[in-house]
Amino acid sequence: MPPLARIRGERDRMSAIERRIADFMLDNAHLLRDYSSQQLANALGISQSSVVKFSQKLGFKGYPDLKFSIGESLARLDSDGGDAGTALAAHDDDPGARLAESLWRAKAEAVTVTRALNAHTEVARVAEAIRTAGKVYAIGVGNDGLHARALSIKLAMIGRTAIHLFDPALMAVGTSSAASGDVLLVLCEHGQEAALCHTARLFRQRGGKVVTITRHTANALRAHADIALLVSAHDPRPQVEVLLYHAALQHLLDLVFLLLCEDEVHLRMLVENAAPIE
């Protein structure tokens, strides 16, 4: 994963001092080649050891290693950016086209970081749990609920018994018939919904398996997960950040669905159920 993407993806889990370092690096990446660890520490009013520990926490030997990796990544982007620059320059007189290009690139980065956060084995575990489950419950609140509903429909089309729950007050009741081997898929961006945490806890007590999809943050919901998938999507513009989150979330759900469709029985059921709709 590119170092700046890694920093952006880990930011929500950092301490206050680490976030200050991260924000400086993200905002001034091209200037880091002129900063020693001591100069960076002086600029931020922190200790040099904090900069070193920050670098090591990201998996680098030290700050020089991190700085070199960022510089190399930026050089690669500059080298590969000729076509992108040409494309953007071609849209100088078309703000709509420039906005579309910018959004596409931001979504691509969000999906790339999210992919890196979730090992394929973990995504495959989710697909296998759904494949072997007696029933699949999909729950979410707000916009997450829309994704849960769409996934429930897809699962039904491949022959899985899928139940979509959307009322927080009734979620615990709605899963009261859950049995061992059933799967509860919980979508919650920030993972702090008390009703969802309560439902997940009860579901596990009944022997079911809980899968959570949240932002890449330490949150209460992840503590109740058997399998936790993570979404990373960051942008200073709130109207863009929400789009990035849903794009990355949808990518994860689409990948799970495609893995399920590798089963010939599921694929045949999908074709049969889709035929009358066409």
Side-chain angles (χ1 to χ4, degrees):
M1 187 194 308
L4 292 177
R6 187 183 308 174
I7 291 171
R8 193 174 290 109
E10 294 282 351
R11 186 187 180 282
D12 288 345
R13 303 179 66 186
M14 294 179 179
S15 66
I17 290 179
E18 290 170 342
R19 284 197 297 272
R20 287 173 61 191
I21 300 173
D23 290 342
F24 184 90
M25 289 185 171
L26 292 171
D27 293 339
N28 303 280
H30 285 88
L31 303 178
L32 289 179
R33 65 178 181 274
D34 299 324
Y35 279 80
S36 66
S37 58
Q38 185 61 64
Q39 289 171 323
L40 177 57
N42 292 340
L44 294 175
I46 59 177
S47 67
Q48 183 183 23
S49 63
S50 294
V51 176
V52 175
K53 290 177 181 177
F54 174 88
S55 305
Q56 294 172 338
K57 188 173 182 179
L58 289 171
F60 296 92
K61 295 179 181 179
Y63 173 72
D65 190 29
L66 171 58
K67 181 170 72 169
F68 176 80
S69 180
I70 291 176
E72 192 176 50
S73 178
L74 291 175
R76 191 179 304 114
L77 285 175
D78 290 340
S79 176
D80 295 340
D83 291 342
T86 301
L88 288 173
H91 299 318
D92 279 343
D93 298 327
D94 188 345
R98 290 186 64 84
L99 180 63
E101 181 75 15
S102 172
L103 178 60
W104 180 85
R105 294 187 176 280
K107 284 185 175 182
E109 181 178 349
V111 169
T112 297
V113 178
T114 296
R115 283 177 56 195
L117 288 174
N118 299 278
H120 181 72
T121 52
E122 290 299 285
V123 181
R125 283 181 64 202
V126 174
E128 182 60 24
I130 293 174
R131 182 182 290 110
T132 59
K135 298 185 295 295
V136 179
Y137 298 83
I139 63 177
V141 176
N143 287 331
D144 285 313
L146 299 178
H147 288 279
R149 179 177 182 273
L151 179 62
S152 297
I153 294 172
K154 288 187 178 74
L155 293 179
M157 291 188 70
I158 62 174
R160 307 308 308 163
T161 301
I163 303 167
H164 172 229
L165 301 173
F166 56 89
D167 187 338
L170 299 176
M171 285 177 182
V173 176
T175 59
S176 60
S177 62
S180 178
D182 288 347
V183 170
L184 175 66
L185 184 62
V186 191
L187 282 58
C188 184
E189 180 173 1
H190 299 290
Q192 302 296 349
E193 287 282 346
L196 299 183
C197 293
H198 176 65
T199 301
R201 183 173 62 253
L202 293 178
F203 197 87
R204 292 187 73 186
Q205 291 175 359
R206 298 186 181 106
K209 183 170 291 186
V210 175
V211 177
T212 63
I213 305 182
T214 68
R215 274 189 175 270
H216 184 218
T217 58
N219 59 71
L221 186 58
R222 284 177 63 184
H224 300 290
D226 293 288
I227 309 173
L229 299 183
L230 306 170
V231 175
S232 180
H234 302 277
D235 194 280
R237 300 161 294 178
Q239 73 274 26
V240 173
E241 185 168 58
V242 67
L243 300 178
L244 304 188
Y245 167 76
H246 289 292
L249 170 61
Q250 190 60 58
H251 174 81
L252 275 179
L253 296 176
D254 288 345
L255 183 54
V256 170
F257 181 69
L258 286 179
L259 288 172
L260 287 167
C261 287
E262 290 185 351
D263 185 307
E264 291 184 6
V265 175
H266 288 163
L267 183 57
R268 183 169 61 252
M269 185 69 71
L270 175 65
V271 173
E272 291 176 356
N273 286 331
I277 300 176
E278 294 177 351

